Amino acid sequence: MKYTQDNEWVQIYEDGKTALVGITDFAQQELGDIVYIEIETLGEEINSGEIFGTVEAVKTVSDHFMPVSGTIVEVNEELEQNPEAVNDDPYGKGWMIKIELGDQDHSSLIDSTEYSSLIGA
């Protein structure tokens, strides 16, 4: 699993062509109780750093950014009825999107040690 400085995680499949994306445990704790997730970018090609969706929590609404460029090929539909899955299981049932990776370097992603250092864990 790789991470971004914007608190997203990326799980690249063994095929190297697809990945799951979600927000980190740290991010969900900072947001608080998540009540709604909006992702209307299914089928769209989105560049790294562009917004792919928003998360509404009791305290705030937060935009979420693509960690790498790619096309969104699947959205976790379970989150429509159960957005709190992101709070309960951010790395499992709380995944947000599945993407087909674009042809780019993923060197901007960081490993778990670098991410832990970034968030002060």
Side-chain angles (χ1 to χ4, degrees), residues 11-107:
Q11 178 76 46
I12 299 174
Y13 286 81
E14 288 184 25
D15 67 6
K17 297 177 183 178
T18 53
L20 286 182
V21 175
I23 64 171
T24 65
D25 187 49
F26 176 79
Q28 69 80 19
Q29 288 177 26
E30 291 292 304
L31 287 168
D33 293 335
I34 295 172
V35 296
Y36 182 71
I37 296 174
E38 181 176 32
I39 301 172
E40 297 182 348
T41 49
L42 182 62
E44 293 183 25
E45 185 174 338
I46 301 177
N47 293 320
S48 177
E50 293 181 345
I51 296 170
F52 74 80
T54 58
V55 174
E56 183 177 335
V58 173
K59 298 189 277 185
T60 188
V61 175
S62 177
D63 289 331
H64 286 282
F65 302 91
M66 282 290 277
V68 292
S69 297
T71 301
I72 298 177
V73 294
E74 187 177 344
V75 173
N76 185 350
E77 293 179 9
E78 294 289 321
L79 298 180
E80 284 185 35
Q81 300 299 319
N82 187 21
E84 61 273 8
V86 175
N87 293 116
D88 298 337
D89 189 11
Y91 301 109
K93 293 180 182 178
W95 65 273
M96 294 184 172
I97 57 174
K98 182 176 183 180
I99 62 173
E100 184 178 295
L101 297 167
D103 294 328
Q104 82 274 344
D105 181 14
H106 300 127
S107 63

